[in-house]
Structures are given as C-alpha cells and as structure tokens.
Amino acid sequence: MRRTFILTHRWLAIVTSIFLLLTALSGASLVFEGAIDRALNQRLWHVEPAGQILPIDSIVSRVEATISGAKVGSINLSPERDQAWTVGAGKVTAFVNPYTGAINGTRTAAESQATLARKLHVFHVEFFSGKAGRTFVGMLSGVALFLVITGMILWWPDKLMRVNRSASWKRINFDLHHVFGICASLILIVITASGLVVHFDGLANAIKSLDSKPVPAPPAQVSASSATMRPSFDSIARVARTALPDANIMFISLGAGKNPASVAMRFPEDHTPAGRSRVFVDRNTYALLATSSTRAAEIGTRIDNLKRSLHTGDVFGRVTSALWLIATLVLAEQVLSGVLMWWNSRRARSRANAR
C-alpha cells in the first residue's frame, strides 16, 4: 500500500507540477489583489479624508452631472477612509472622492478586465480558458488535496521534523520537502478543499442542503417603476441600516425590471469583500421586501458563506491572510522540491544502471 501511495503521489505531482506551481504563485499574489490595483492606480483610488462624507444622492447627482449621458445604477462604498467610492455610471465606473464629490477618473469594463490584478484573478480561477479552464482548476484543487493527504500519510511513519543542514543539498531538499509540507498541511487542506467547493456547484449545493429548508429566492420588485424620478440611494440605505443596524453597507444596486434594489452588507465578523448579508428594498416605495442575514443563516448556508474566506484566508482577517500566503508559497516550494527529488532519484538510477 505504501509503495502505491508513493508512486501515485510522485507521478501525479510530476504530471501536474507546472499547473500546480502557477496556481500556487498566482494564488499567493491574490492575497494582495486589491492592494496591487490600488498601488498601480493611486490616481483613481486615493483620496484625502476631509470632514464628513457627502450624502450618497449628492455623489450620484454630481457623477450624472459630470459624465455625459451617465445614469447611475450602483455604488460601492469603500470601508477605508482614504479610498475612493466606485459608482456604476452606465458604460463606465467612476472613482469618486466621497468627501468632495470630485471624480478621480473612470474605467470602462474592458479597462477593468485589463488591469493586472484582474488578470491575475482570472488566470488563477480559469487559466484564461473560460468554463473549461475553471473546471480544470477545480480538478487541480482536487489533485492538490490528494497530494497533501497522501503526503501526510507518507510522512507519518518517520515523522521527519528536522533539517540536516550539514548534509548534501539533495538531503536538505528532501528534509525541507517533508518539514515544510507537514507544517503547512492543515492550511493547505483547507485551501484546496474550499477551492473544490468554490469551483463545483454540486459540492456547494450539498453543503447548503444541510439547512432545514432552502434559502428563499430574492424577492421581485413590487410597485411599478416611476419614469420621472430616480430612486433615492440614501432612502434605500436608511431602510437597509434599519433592517441590519450592526452591519455596514458595502454596495447598493438599484436593480432593474423585476429586480428590486439590493444592498450588500457586512457584519464585523464577515471578512468577505462585499459581505454575505443582503437587504432587498422596493426601489419606488422604499418598503423592505426581504432580509438575508449571515447571523440568522442555518448551518449549511453558514458553511457555504465561509468557502471564499476559507480559500483566500480572509476568514479571521490579516493574521490568517498572512498564514494562507505562507502556505501557498510552501505549496510552490513543495512542487519545486518534489521535482528535484524525482530528478535526483532518476539520475541516481541511471548511474546505477550504467554501473
């Protein structure tokens, strides 16, 4: 059995090594996804905090007055005081100073997709190959999970936890492969297992089936739309804050057609970028239509809500983000040291055969 594990572990790792390496390195970079875009585009993102934030409707009015033909349908409220808010204004996204209403600049959808941070994200998720690439990366997560588990099984008999620094570089590489691998194994199991749930809806649905009843579908818009008056973002925000007073508003969308206004909200314990709680509001009468709170969710939905945080390391904030970053770099090291171990053993067998 051990021999079977060794051969399967070795050859599966060799065959997928380049893809595992690229996925690990791109995943490590995505710990800084937002920071990368903000650093490369400070002109758009940076604002100087000054006084009180303007009413949301005032910001929306200034955007529509400044950008020709713009009709604002959504707004993203940054949680950081020195970051611009982003406003969906028709074909462009406007970066707005929430203290002054000044527009730092705009981006089209194509320009957003062309940013380095977005390219890294798409590459990590699907290797620039659409649905097929996404399925492949999901399968790669399964391979990585199998390699971590079999690596723990192979490590267990000897329980190697020491690096012999006086030995040859080949032995040091061997020791590092085992020590680093076992130290990062539990985090890598979390990363790879959550990656499977993120990529395959069947697994996510199985987790959500732990709820006693299915999560209700989002409600439909009730009242007829008014052709003469744009809905008030501030009024929608007030309804949302009343519905979930302990949560912060992250994003407001006016909706369209049968879809009501929706507000993405985040409780302090929720470390996902946009939060997982939602408030749905009639965009004309401002009546509360439905509320979906992470604090009131059943066990299946709670676990499913954690899948992204568990995969990226956001689950407990900066501490786990740092640990997840180290673990993904260890995964890259495991690939490289594993290939070296295979190459060294191959050369040794060749010399033995020659003799």
Side-chain angles (χ1 to χ4, degrees):
M1 179 64 75
R2 180 175 173 81
R3 180 65 176 169
T4 301
F5 273 141
I6 291 174
L7 291 175
T8 306
H9 181 91
R10 175 188 299 164
W11 287 107
L12 194 57
I14 292 298
V15 170
T16 61
S17 58
I18 185 63
F19 300 107
L20 287 172
L21 181 63
L22 292 173
T23 303
L25 292 176
S26 59
S29 69
L30 288 180
V31 173
F32 309 101
E33 182 177 2
I36 289 172
D37 192 45
R38 290 191 294 272
L40 295 177
N41 300 280
Q42 291 190 47
R43 178 184 64 84
L44 294 176
W45 283 105
H46 182 70
V47 300
E48 290 292 339
Q52 297 295 316
I53 289 174
L54 294 172
I56 303 175
D57 287 333
S58 296
I59 294 173
V60 169
S61 296
R62 295 191 185 197
V63 170
E64 292 182 339
T66 304
I67 301 175
S68 178
K71 186 175 181 180
V72 173
S74 63
I75 185 165
N76 192 319
L77 286 64
S78 172
E80 303 297 332
R81 286 181 54 80
D82 62 349
Q83 288 179 19
W85 290 10
T86 54
V87 179
K91 296 181 179 180
V92 300
T93 297
F95 293 76
V96 183
N97 185 326
Y99 305 97
T100 66
I103 298 176
N104 291 351
T106 61
R107 267 183 187 166
T108 63
E111 290 170 339
S112 295
Q113 291 296 321
T115 61
L116 175 61
R118 184 59 187 169
K119 286 182 176 180
L120 285 171
H121 185 99
V122 176
F123 178 80
H124 179 73
V125 171
E126 59 186 42
F127 283 150
F128 299 133
S129 301
K131 185 177 180 180
R134 188 177 182 87
T135 301
F136 177 75
V137 173
M139 295 172 63
L140 201 61
S141 296
V143 169
L145 177 60
F146 176 82
L147 292 175
V148 174
I149 293 174
T150 54
M152 295 173 68
I153 294 172
L154 295 173
W155 170 86
W156 184 256
D158 297 328
K159 301 180 182 63
L160 180 63
M161 286 297 293
R162 178 176 175 271
V163 178
N164 186 353
R165 291 179 292 179
S166 62
S168 67
W169 72 268
K170 295 178 182 178
R171 177 66 195 194
I172 292 175
N173 179 68
F174 178 88
D175 290 348
L176 288 175
H177 184 83
H178 288 75
V179 173
F180 283 173
I182 198 64
C183 288
S185 58
L186 294 180
I187 295 177
L188 289 176
I189 286 175
V190 173
I191 292 174
T192 52
S194 58
L196 280 171
V197 179
V198 168
H199 279 85
F200 296 112
D201 292 338
L203 293 175
N205 291 334
I207 291 173
K208 287 186 283 189
S209 69
L210 296 174
D211 291 348
S212 61
K213 56 184 177 182
V215 176
Q221 172 68 25
V222 177
S223 65
S225 298
S226 171
T228 59
M229 184 179 298
R230 175 176 51 77
S232 167
F233 281 84
D234 283 309
S235 297
I236 294 169
R238 279 193 293 272
V239 174
R241 292 190 181 103
T242 301
L244 298 177
D246 295 331
N248 293 319
I249 294 177
M250 308 305 298
F251 182 83
I252 302 175
S253 172
L254 289 184
K258 295 182 178 180
N259 297 316
S262 62
V263 184
M265 305 190 73
R266 187 174 73 185
F267 286 102
E269 67 272 15
D270 183 357
H271 294 285
T272 54
R276 295 291 187 181
S277 299
R278 296 291 183 270
V279 175
F280 299 94
V281 182
D282 187 298
R283 60 175 175 269
N284 297 311
T285 65
Y286 308 121
L288 176 64
L289 299 179
T291 301
S292 173
S293 169
T294 54
R295 290 182 173 179
E298 294 193 52
I299 183 64
T301 300
R302 284 178 179 266
I303 296 173
D304 185 65
N305 286 340
L306 283 173
K307 63 186 177 185
R308 185 194 181 281
S309 294
L310 289 173
H311 188 66
T312 62
D314 294 334
V315 61
F316 292 122
R318 292 182 178 179
V319 173
T320 46
S321 292
L323 290 174
W324 263 235
L325 170 62
I326 294 171
T328 52
L329 293 176
V330 167
L331 179 58
E333 180 276 336
Q334 292 289 283
V335 174
L336 294 174
S337 60
V339 170
L340 279 174
M341 288 165 57
W342 167 76
W343 182 254
N344 291 333
S345 66
R346 182 174 178 272
R347 292 183 65 188
R349 287 194 300 272
S350 296
R351 287 194 295 267
N353 291 334
R355 288 195 296 270

